[in-house]
PDB file of all heavy atoms in Angstrom:
ATOM      1  N   PRO A   1       0.139 -17.401 -46.179  1.00  0.00           N
ATOM      2  CA  PRO A   1      -0.961 -17.861 -47.046  1.00  0.00           C
ATOM      3  C   PRO A   1      -1.894 -18.840 -46.391  1.00  0.00           C
ATOM      4  O   PRO A   1      -3.056 -19.010 -46.887  1.00  0.00           O
ATOM      5  CB  PRO A   1      -0.230 -18.500 -48.212  1.00  0.00           C
ATOM      6  CG  PRO A   1       1.121 -18.908 -47.657  1.00  0.00           C
ATOM      7  CD  PRO A   1       1.469 -17.827 -46.669  1.00  0.00           C
ATOM      8  N   ASP A   2      -1.458 -19.511 -45.347  1.00  0.00           N
ATOM      9  CA  ASP A   2      -2.343 -20.518 -44.699  1.00  0.00           C
ATOM     10  C   ASP A   2      -3.196 -19.912 -43.603  1.00  0.00           C
ATOM     11  O   ASP A   2      -4.010 -20.619 -42.996  1.00  0.00           O
ATOM     12  CB  ASP A   2      -1.485 -21.655 -44.102  1.00  0.00           C
ATOM     13  CG  ASP A   2      -0.801 -22.483 -45.163  1.00  0.00           C
ATOM     14  OD1 ASP A   2      -1.352 -22.593 -46.244  1.00  0.00           O
ATOM     15  OD2 ASP A   2       0.285 -23.019 -44.885  1.00  0.00           O
ATOM     16  N   ALA A   3      -3.004 -18.639 -43.290  1.00  0.00           N
ATOM     17  CA  ALA A   3      -3.770 -18.003 -42.217  1.00  0.00           C
ATOM     18  C   ALA A   3      -5.238 -17.829 -42.602  1.00  0.00           C
ATOM     19  O   ALA A   3      -5.577 -17.661 -43.770  1.00  0.00           O
ATOM     20  CB  ALA A   3      -3.177 -16.628 -41.881  1.00  0.00           C
ATOM     21  N   VAL A   4      -6.086 -17.882 -41.588  1.00  0.00           N
ATOM     22  CA  VAL A   4      -7.507 -17.627 -41.724  1.00  0.00           C
ATOM     23  C   VAL A   4      -7.760 -16.142 -41.446  1.00  0.00           C
ATOM     24  O   VAL A   4      -7.357 -15.621 -40.423  1.00  0.00           O
ATOM     25  CB  VAL A   4      -8.318 -18.483 -40.760  1.00  0.00           C
ATOM     26  CG1 VAL A   4      -9.769 -18.035 -40.714  1.00  0.00           C
ATOM     27  CG2 VAL A   4      -8.187 -19.954 -41.103  1.00  0.00           C
ATOM     28  N   VAL A   5      -8.411 -15.453 -42.400  1.00  0.00           N
ATOM     29  CA  VAL A   5      -8.699 -14.026 -42.259  1.00  0.00           C
ATOM     30  C   VAL A   5     -10.193 -13.830 -42.428  1.00  0.00           C
ATOM     31  O   VAL A   5     -10.749 -14.127 -43.461  1.00  0.00           O
ATOM     32  CB  VAL A   5      -7.931 -13.189 -43.279  1.00  0.00           C
ATOM     33  CG1 VAL A   5      -8.218 -11.707 -43.045  1.00  0.00           C
ATOM     34  CG2 VAL A   5      -6.419 -13.440 -43.162  1.00  0.00           C
ATOM     35  N   GLY A   6     -10.854 -13.354 -41.378  1.00  0.00           N
ATOM     36  CA  GLY A   6     -12.292 -13.101 -41.397  1.00  0.00           C
ATOM     37  C   GLY A   6     -12.635 -11.632 -41.435  1.00  0.00           C
ATOM     38  O   GLY A   6     -11.809 -10.764 -41.112  1.00  0.00           O
ATOM     39  N   ARG A   7     -13.891 -11.359 -41.789  1.00  0.00           N
ATOM     40  CA  ARG A   7     -14.348  -9.974 -41.886  1.00  0.00           C
ATOM     41  C   ARG A   7     -15.772  -9.888 -41.307  1.00  0.00           C
ATOM     42  O   ARG A   7     -16.610 -10.738 -41.550  1.00  0.00           O
ATOM     43  CB  ARG A   7     -14.360  -9.516 -43.322  1.00  0.00           C
ATOM     44  CG  ARG A   7     -14.910  -8.121 -43.559  1.00  0.00           C
ATOM     45  CD  ARG A   7     -13.930  -7.063 -43.088  1.00  0.00           C
ATOM     46  NE  ARG A   7     -13.044  -6.593 -44.149  1.00  0.00           N
ATOM     47  CZ  ARG A   7     -12.025  -5.782 -43.944  1.00  0.00           C
ATOM     48  NH1 ARG A   7     -11.751  -5.350 -42.743  1.00  0.00           N
ATOM     49  NH2 ARG A   7     -11.254  -5.425 -44.951  1.00  0.00           N
ATOM     50  N   SER A   8     -16.020  -8.808 -40.549  1.00  0.00           N
ATOM     51  CA  SER A   8     -17.372  -8.498 -40.089  1.00  0.00           C
ATOM     52  C   SER A   8     -18.142  -7.779 -41.182  1.00  0.00           C
ATOM     53  O   SER A   8     -17.619  -6.878 -41.810  1.00  0.00           O
ATOM     54  CB  SER A   8     -17.311  -7.584 -38.853  1.00  0.00           C
ATOM     55  OG  SER A   8     -16.712  -8.255 -37.770  1.00  0.00           O
ATOM     56  N   VAL A   9     -19.374  -8.164 -41.375  1.00  0.00           N
ATOM     57  CA  VAL A   9     -20.249  -7.508 -42.349  1.00  0.00           C
ATOM     58  C   VAL A   9     -21.615  -7.285 -41.750  1.00  0.00           C
ATOM     59  O   VAL A   9     -22.074  -8.031 -40.894  1.00  0.00           O
ATOM     60  CB  VAL A   9     -20.367  -8.321 -43.669  1.00  0.00           C
ATOM     61  CG1 VAL A   9     -18.993  -8.520 -44.303  1.00  0.00           C
ATOM     62  CG2 VAL A   9     -21.032  -9.665 -43.443  1.00  0.00           C
ATOM     63  N   GLY A  10     -22.274  -6.238 -42.253  1.00  0.00           N
ATOM     64  CA  GLY A  10     -23.610  -5.896 -41.725  1.00  0.00           C
ATOM     65  C   GLY A  10     -24.677  -5.833 -42.805  1.00  0.00           C
ATOM     66  O   GLY A  10     -25.793  -5.367 -42.538  1.00  0.00           O
ATOM     67  N   SER A  11     -24.374  -6.279 -44.007  1.00  0.00           N
ATOM     68  CA  SER A  11     -25.335  -6.293 -45.106  1.00  0.00           C
ATOM     69  C   SER A  11     -24.906  -7.299 -46.124  1.00  0.00           C
ATOM     70  O   SER A  11     -23.773  -7.748 -46.168  1.00  0.00           O
ATOM     71  CB  SER A  11     -25.419  -4.895 -45.749  1.00  0.00           C
ATOM     72  OG  SER A  11     -24.215  -4.583 -46.421  1.00  0.00           O
ATOM     73  N   ALA A  12     -25.858  -7.628 -47.042  1.00  0.00           N
ATOM     74  CA  ALA A  12     -25.518  -8.537 -48.119  1.00  0.00           C
ATOM     75  C   ALA A  12     -24.456  -7.927 -49.024  1.00  0.00           C
ATOM     76  O   ALA A  12     -23.548  -8.632 -49.512  1.00  0.00           O
ATOM     77  CB  ALA A  12     -26.780  -8.855 -48.907  1.00  0.00           C
ATOM     78  N   GLU A  13     -24.541  -6.630 -49.220  1.00  0.00           N
ATOM     79  CA  GLU A  13     -23.559  -5.958 -50.086  1.00  0.00           C
ATOM     80  C   GLU A  13     -22.183  -6.029 -49.486  1.00  0.00           C
ATOM     81  O   GLU A  13     -21.168  -6.309 -50.192  1.00  0.00           O
ATOM     82  CB  GLU A  13     -23.960  -4.485 -50.294  1.00  0.00           C
ATOM     83  CG  GLU A  13     -25.241  -4.288 -51.096  1.00  0.00           C
ATOM     84  CD  GLU A  13     -26.497  -4.562 -50.306  1.00  0.00           C
ATOM     85  OE1 GLU A  13     -26.432  -4.644 -49.058  1.00  0.00           O
ATOM     86  OE2 GLU A  13     -27.570  -4.691 -50.952  1.00  0.00           O
ATOM     87  N   GLU A  14     -22.056  -5.830 -48.186  1.00  0.00           N
ATOM     88  CA  GLU A  14     -20.749  -5.949 -47.545  1.00  0.00           C
ATOM     89  C   GLU A  14     -20.224  -7.368 -47.569  1.00  0.00           C
ATOM     90  O   GLU A  14     -19.037  -7.614 -47.686  1.00  0.00           O
ATOM     91  CB  GLU A  14     -20.826  -5.455 -46.096  1.00  0.00           C
ATOM     92  CG  GLU A  14     -20.984  -3.943 -45.965  1.00  0.00           C
ATOM     93  CD  GLU A  14     -21.010  -3.459 -44.529  1.00  0.00           C
ATOM     94  OE1 GLU A  14     -21.051  -4.307 -43.613  1.00  0.00           O
ATOM     95  OE2 GLU A  14     -21.015  -2.252 -44.313  1.00  0.00           O
ATOM     96  N   ALA A  15     -21.150  -8.335 -47.492  1.00  0.00           N
ATOM     97  CA  ALA A  15     -20.727  -9.716 -47.562  1.00  0.00           C
ATOM     98  C   ALA A  15     -20.107 -10.043 -48.935  1.00  0.00           C
ATOM     99  O   ALA A  15     -19.043 -10.686 -49.018  1.00  0.00           O
ATOM    100  CB  ALA A  15     -21.922 -10.647 -47.302  1.00  0.00           C
ATOM    101  N   VAL A  16     -20.758  -9.617 -50.004  1.00  0.00           N
ATOM    102  CA  VAL A  16     -20.245  -9.841 -51.336  1.00  0.00           C
ATOM    103  C   VAL A  16     -18.886  -9.192 -51.491  1.00  0.00           C
ATOM    104  O   VAL A  16     -17.918  -9.776 -52.043  1.00  0.00           O
ATOM    105  CB  VAL A  16     -21.241  -9.313 -52.386  1.00  0.00           C
ATOM    106  CG1 VAL A  16     -20.613  -9.329 -53.781  1.00  0.00           C
ATOM    107  CG2 VAL A  16     -22.510 -10.156 -52.382  1.00  0.00           C
ATOM    108  N   GLU A  17     -18.741  -7.951 -51.022  1.00  0.00           N
ATOM    109  CA  GLU A  17     -17.490  -7.252 -51.142  1.00  0.00           C
ATOM    110  C   GLU A  17     -16.377  -7.928 -50.338  1.00  0.00           C
ATOM    111  O   GLU A  17     -15.226  -8.000 -50.797  1.00  0.00           O
ATOM    112  CB  GLU A  17     -17.642  -5.797 -50.661  1.00  0.00           C
ATOM    113  CG  GLU A  17     -16.370  -4.955 -50.720  1.00  0.00           C
ATOM    114  CD  GLU A  17     -15.751  -4.896 -52.079  1.00  0.00           C
ATOM    115  OE1 GLU A  17     -16.480  -4.971 -53.098  1.00  0.00           O
ATOM    116  OE2 GLU A  17     -14.490  -4.800 -52.181  1.00  0.00           O
ATOM    117  N   ALA A  18     -16.695  -8.397 -49.128  1.00  0.00           N
ATOM    118  CA  ALA A  18     -15.694  -9.052 -48.332  1.00  0.00           C
ATOM    119  C   ALA A  18     -15.164 -10.330 -48.986  1.00  0.00           C
ATOM    120  O   ALA A  18     -13.971 -10.613 -48.981  1.00  0.00           O
ATOM    121  CB  ALA A  18     -16.244  -9.365 -46.954  1.00  0.00           C
ATOM    122  N   VAL A  19     -16.073 -11.097 -49.578  1.00  0.00           N
ATOM    123  CA  VAL A  19     -15.630 -12.312 -50.292  1.00  0.00           C
ATOM    124  C   VAL A  19     -14.779 -11.945 -51.502  1.00  0.00           C
ATOM    125  O   VAL A  19     -13.756 -12.576 -51.773  1.00  0.00           O
ATOM    126  CB  VAL A  19     -16.858 -13.170 -50.691  1.00  0.00           C
ATOM    127  CG1 VAL A  19     -16.440 -14.334 -51.547  1.00  0.00           C
ATOM    128  CG2 VAL A  19     -17.594 -13.675 -49.454  1.00  0.00           C
ATOM    129  N   ARG A  20     -15.194 -10.906 -52.190  1.00  0.00           N
ATOM    130  CA  ARG A  20     -14.398 -10.433 -53.337  1.00  0.00           C
ATOM    131  C   ARG A  20     -13.015 -10.010 -52.909  1.00  0.00           C
ATOM    132  O   ARG A  20     -12.026 -10.191 -53.602  1.00  0.00           O
ATOM    133  CB  ARG A  20     -15.133  -9.289 -54.021  1.00  0.00           C
ATOM    134  CG  ARG A  20     -14.464  -8.815 -55.313  1.00  0.00           C
ATOM    135  CD  ARG A  20     -15.216  -7.653 -55.945  1.00  0.00           C
ATOM    136  NE  ARG A  20     -16.534  -8.057 -56.342  1.00  0.00           N
ATOM    137  CZ  ARG A  20     -17.672  -7.530 -55.907  1.00  0.00           C
ATOM    138  NH1 ARG A  20     -17.619  -6.534 -55.004  1.00  0.00           N
ATOM    139  NH2 ARG A  20     -18.830  -7.952 -56.328  1.00  0.00           N
ATOM    140  N   GLU A  21     -12.936  -9.428 -51.709  1.00  0.00           N
ATOM    141  CA  GLU A  21     -11.675  -8.950 -51.171  1.00  0.00           C
ATOM    142  C   GLU A  21     -10.765 -10.089 -50.686  1.00  0.00           C
ATOM    143  O   GLU A  21      -9.564  -9.903 -50.478  1.00  0.00           O
ATOM    144  CB  GLU A  21     -11.951  -7.997 -50.015  1.00  0.00           C
ATOM    145  CG  GLU A  21     -10.735  -7.203 -49.513  1.00  0.00           C
ATOM    146  CD  GLU A  21     -11.062  -6.363 -48.293  1.00  0.00           C
ATOM    147  OE1 GLU A  21     -12.223  -6.266 -47.892  1.00  0.00           O
ATOM    148  OE2 GLU A  21     -10.115  -5.778 -47.722  1.00  0.00           O
ATOM    149  N   GLY A  22     -11.363 -11.272 -50.508  1.00  0.00           N
ATOM    150  CA  GLY A  22     -10.558 -12.427 -50.117  1.00  0.00           C
ATOM    151  C   GLY A  22     -10.809 -12.955 -48.723  1.00  0.00           C
ATOM    152  O   GLY A  22     -10.007 -13.746 -48.228  1.00  0.00           O
ATOM    153  N   ALA A  23     -11.916 -12.585 -48.078  1.00  0.00           N
ATOM    154  CA  ALA A  23     -12.211 -13.078 -46.741  1.00  0.00           C
ATOM    155  C   ALA A  23     -12.414 -14.609 -46.793  1.00  0.00           C
ATOM    156  O   ALA A  23     -13.063 -15.151 -47.682  1.00  0.00           O
ATOM    157  CB  ALA A  23     -13.473 -12.422 -46.195  1.00  0.00           C
ATOM    158  N   ASP A  24     -11.897 -15.274 -45.785  1.00  0.00           N
ATOM    159  CA  ASP A  24     -12.072 -16.701 -45.660  1.00  0.00           C
ATOM    160  C   ASP A  24     -13.356 -17.078 -44.959  1.00  0.00           C
ATOM    161  O   ASP A  24     -13.859 -18.192 -45.141  1.00  0.00           O
ATOM    162  CB  ASP A  24     -10.908 -17.331 -44.878  1.00  0.00           C
ATOM    163  CG  ASP A  24      -9.576 -17.158 -45.626  1.00  0.00           C
ATOM    164  OD1 ASP A  24      -9.522 -17.471 -46.803  1.00  0.00           O
ATOM    165  OD2 ASP A  24      -8.589 -16.687 -44.995  1.00  0.00           O
ATOM    166  N   TYR A  25     -13.882 -16.153 -44.137  1.00  0.00           N
ATOM    167  CA  TYR A  25     -15.160 -16.370 -43.485  1.00  0.00           C
ATOM    168  C   TYR A  25     -15.708 -15.000 -43.108  1.00  0.00           C
ATOM    169  O   TYR A  25     -14.977 -14.004 -43.075  1.00  0.00           O
ATOM    170  CB  TYR A  25     -15.063 -17.281 -42.266  1.00  0.00           C
ATOM    171  CG  TYR A  25     -14.447 -16.634 -41.057  1.00  0.00           C
ATOM    172  CD1 TYR A  25     -15.217 -16.009 -40.086  1.00  0.00           C
ATOM    173  CD2 TYR A  25     -13.038 -16.643 -40.864  1.00  0.00           C
ATOM    174  CE1 TYR A  25     -14.649 -15.408 -38.987  1.00  0.00           C
ATOM    175  CE2 TYR A  25     -12.464 -16.038 -39.777  1.00  0.00           C
ATOM    176  CZ  TYR A  25     -13.277 -15.433 -38.810  1.00  0.00           C
ATOM    177  OH  TYR A  25     -12.712 -14.807 -37.735  1.00  0.00           O
ATOM    178  N   LEU A  26     -16.983 -14.974 -42.745  1.00  0.00           N
ATOM    179  CA  LEU A  26     -17.673 -13.717 -42.374  1.00  0.00           C
ATOM    180  C   LEU A  26     -18.367 -13.871 -41.041  1.00  0.00           C
ATOM    181  O   LEU A  26     -18.928 -14.942 -40.729  1.00  0.00           O
ATOM    182  CB  LEU A  26     -18.716 -13.349 -43.451  1.00  0.00           C
ATOM    183  CG  LEU A  26     -18.269 -13.292 -44.898  1.00  0.00           C
ATOM    184  CD1 LEU A  26     -19.471 -12.961 -45.779  1.00  0.00           C
ATOM    185  CD2 LEU A  26     -17.156 -12.266 -45.098  1.00  0.00           C
ATOM    186  N   GLY A  27     -18.398 -12.770 -40.295  1.00  0.00           N
ATOM    187  CA  GLY A  27     -19.303 -12.621 -39.164  1.00  0.00           C
ATOM    188  C   GLY A  27     -20.408 -11.672 -39.582  1.00  0.00           C
ATOM    189  O   GLY A  27     -20.138 -10.535 -39.982  1.00  0.00           O
ATOM    190  N   VAL A  28     -21.651 -12.158 -39.582  1.00  0.00           N
ATOM    191  CA  VAL A  28     -22.771 -11.418 -40.129  1.00  0.00           C
ATOM    192  C   VAL A  28     -23.684 -10.908 -39.008  1.00  0.00           C
ATOM    193  O   VAL A  28     -24.226 -11.696 -38.242  1.00  0.00           O
ATOM    194  CB  VAL A  28     -23.606 -12.301 -41.112  1.00  0.00           C
ATOM    195  CG1 VAL A  28     -24.789 -11.529 -41.623  1.00  0.00           C
ATOM    196  CG2 VAL A  28     -22.717 -12.773 -42.268  1.00  0.00           C
ATOM    197  N   GLY A  29     -23.829  -9.597 -38.886  1.00  0.00           N
ATOM    198  CA  GLY A  29     -24.708  -9.058 -37.858  1.00  0.00           C
ATOM    199  C   GLY A  29     -24.279  -7.620 -37.557  1.00  0.00           C
ATOM    200  O   GLY A  29     -23.452  -7.049 -38.262  1.00  0.00           O
TER     201      GLY A  29
END
């Protein structure tokens, strides 16, 4: 539970979905 899990996203829609999925941070580009 203490691990940091990030997600790559390439659009605003993917960013919203990644946060909804539980991403702790995003790489945008």
Side-chain angles (χ1 to χ4, degrees):
D2 293 330
V4 169
V5 182
R7 176 73 92 187
S8 296
V9 300
S11 68
E13 292 77 14
E14 288 182 354
V16 170
E17 178 57 31
V19 173
R20 184 181 297 120
E21 191 184 354
D24 296 310
Y25 75 92
L26 307 177
V28 178

